[in-house]
Amino acid sequence: MERLRYRVRHLDDWLRGWAWASIVVNIGIVVTGGVVRLTGSGLGCPTWPECHAGSFTPHGAYDVHSAIEFGNRMLTYVLVVVAIGTFVATWQAGRRDLRRLALVIALGIPAQAVIGGITVLTDLNPWIVSFHLLCSMAIIGVAVLLRWRLDRPAPEVAPRGALVALAWSTFATAWAVLYVGTVVTGSGPHAGDRDAKRNGLDPLQMSQVHADLVFLLVGLTIGLLLAVVAAKRPAAVRRAVVVLLVVELAQGLIGFVQYFTDLPVVLVGFHMLGAAIISATVTQALLEVRES
């Protein structure tokens, strides 16, 4: 019996480690993808799935742009290893709910690779680039859900109520902020290549829409925090909402500073990291409010 308990604890540790690895590497690929775009390396490998015609690796003039783009492609294999490891660990756990989540993450990696290839083949079409980024954000959210489900299986009856509805509204608004943020990027100067086309929208107008949504998101999050405090929800719930609010405020600060300093690449890179963290923290806050 003691040996069985040790095996279960050991498996739980492995599952938790793989779940965290899924979160970290998918946030990491958002950051490295941002480096590709911000350094103008989006077409460093001008074709796909090959890097250059007849070769899967850069050849000829091996410049920094080719190195950056090729390096980002190679990181996909890290994601594949983590996704496979996560799926194997969940299979050993014998829980269908965990297997389904791990399978979604595992299938999302090659799907993302294909979408990334399409962005190259369409010369960095800004709408496809936007979709590519949002898919990574979604995978991050699924990875957070997987980590949550390790300890808390899905309730048989979906939680309801005003507080849950407010949490869902905050979650939906966060995703609206993320989406409009990608549209703003598609209208701005950091295209990933100097010859890549933009989406044709007015950057000033789209930035204003984005800022308005950010204000709405912060307001909803403050309201959610006041509501969970008034409802005397557990400390973990309050902490999750506080973390979300802090991330939003930091992200908003970076966004405003980068806007008024002509979008320096370092700040834009941190802003992309913040967007990935927003996806993770808003998912965590929603789960805490719904199920804790």
Side-chain angles (χ1 to χ4, degrees), residues 169-288:
S169 298
T170 304
F171 180 83
T173 303
W175 268 92
V177 168
L178 293 175
Y179 172 69
V180 175
T182 67
V183 176
V184 173
T185 299
S187 67
H190 298 300
D193 186 84
R194 63 181 181 181
D195 296 324
K197 295 180 179 180
R198 314 312 292 137
N199 59 27
L201 300 176
D202 185 344
L204 179 60
Q205 291 182 352
M206 294 312 304
S207 295
Q208 185 61 59
V209 173
H210 184 55
D212 291 343
L213 285 170
V214 169
F215 284 126
L216 175 60
L217 175 60
V218 171
L220 285 171
T221 306
I222 292 173
L224 182 61
L225 177 59
L226 294 175
V228 297
V229 170
K232 298 182 179 179
R233 300 298 298 274
V237 180
R238 299 195 298 271
R239 184 165 54 249
V241 181
V242 168
V243 169
L244 173 60
L245 180 59
V246 170
V247 172
E248 290 170 358
L249 293 175
Q251 179 74 335
L253 177 61
I254 294 172
F256 278 107
V257 172
Q258 73 172 13
Y259 180 81
F260 290 108
T261 54
D262 295 326
L263 303 176
V265 294
V266 173
L267 285 182
V268 176
F270 276 109
H271 201 53
M272 292 189 68
L273 171 62
I277 296 174
I278 286 286
S279 177
T281 53
V282 76
T283 302
Q284 181 69 27
L286 173 62
L287 291 168
E288 290 281 4

Side-chain angles (χ1 to χ4, degrees), residues 15-27 82-83 86 90 98 100-106 109 135-150 175 276 279-281 283-284 287:
L15 278 168
R16 208 170 307 282
W18 283 116
W20 274 111
S22 293
I23 296 170
V24 171
V25 297
N26 280 286
I27 290 177
V82 172
T86 303
T90 57
L98 298 182
R100 285 194 294 268
L101 292 171
L103 182 61
V104 170
I105 295 172
I109 305 306
C135 285
S136 287
M137 300 295 183
I139 293 174
I140 292 168
V142 175
V144 171
L145 177 59
L146 172 64
R147 190 205 59 78
W148 175 267
R149 287 282 173 255
L150 295 179
W175 268 92
S279 177
T281 53
T283 302
Q284 181 69 27
L287 291 168

Side-chain angles (χ1 to χ4, degrees), residues 33-59:
V35 172
V36 170
R37 182 170 60 81
L38 294 170
T39 57
S41 304
L43 295 178
C45 286
T47 188
W48 186 88
E50 298 173 325
C51 182
H52 290 87
S55 175
F56 284 92
T57 61
H59 62 79

